[in-house]
Amino acid sequence: FRRVLFRSIGHSLGGVVTRVYDRLLGGAPNLGCVATLGSPLNGTPLTAVPFMPKALKELRPGSDLVRAMTEGDDPRQNWLTIQGEGDVLVPPNYALLARSQQASIPNTGHLGLLTNPEVIDLLVAFLADNRVIDLTATVDDNASLVSQT
């Protein structure tokens, strides 16, 4: 049998599900590359809101679940974590996973990450051939690299 590596994009809790699969359920060998958009990988301060469902309260900063997702020395070069600088649901730095490739998108909120052209270009470049992209380059530079392959 030929082994297939999954390429995953997760927005918000979709990124949390992928991280749980990776860290807690032994899924790391099956993941080729992973991109998360506004995922509360470091928790979210909104868990303090009284009407928050119990499942979401597990995402409070410092909880057992958040520590399990963020601690450890697992390689993360195949992860791209993207945050919106205007995200009020998952504020800046709560969406960035240490030692992953990281991108911060100005003037973009939680849902805006889904339609922002810069995010889409970053995802295309990152997922195209599971390579490390130059996040300091312009979006056009990375897109041209993809088109050359």
Side-chain angles (χ1 to χ4, degrees):
F1 289 95
R2 183 171 165 232
R3 185 164 172 225
V4 175
L5 296 178
F6 293 95
R7 296 176 183 200
S8 172
I9 301 172
H11 175 258
S12 198
L13 291 177
V16 171
V17 169
T18 304
R19 189 65 181 153
V20 166
Y21 173 70
D22 174 58
R23 291 287 294 155
L24 303 176
L25 301 176
N30 302 317
L31 293 172
C33 57
V34 177
T36 64
L37 315 173
S39 295
L41 301 173
N42 295 298
T44 178
L46 287 182
T47 58
V49 174
F51 59 83
M52 195 64 67
K54 183 178 184 332
L56 291 180
K57 288 191 179 280
E58 294 298 321
L59 290 172
R60 72 187 176 287
S63 71
D64 290 343
L65 176 61
V66 169
R67 282 197 316 276
M69 289 192 299
T70 57
E71 293 178 350
D73 60 357
D74 58 304
R76 299 174 184 168
Q77 67 272 12
N78 64 324
W79 282 71
L80 170 63
T81 53
I82 301 174
Q83 71 178 5
E85 290 179 6
D87 192 334
V88 295
L89 296 176
V90 183
N93 298 321
Y94 285 88
L96 300 179
L97 185 62
R99 296 188 321 278
S100 71
Q101 296 181 71
Q102 303 175 351
S104 187
I105 310 301
N107 305 314
T108 305
H110 195 69
L111 294 177
L113 290 167
L114 295 170
T115 58
N116 183 293
E118 184 178 354
V119 171
I120 293 167
D121 288 343
L122 282 170
L123 292 173
V124 167
F126 180 68
L127 296 173
D129 60 356
N130 195 23
R131 65 179 165 82
V132 176
I133 60 173
D134 181 1
L135 293 176
T136 62
T138 66
V139 171
D140 290 336
D141 290 339
N142 280 314
S144 68
L145 287 173
V146 171
S147 65
Q148 292 173 7
T149 58

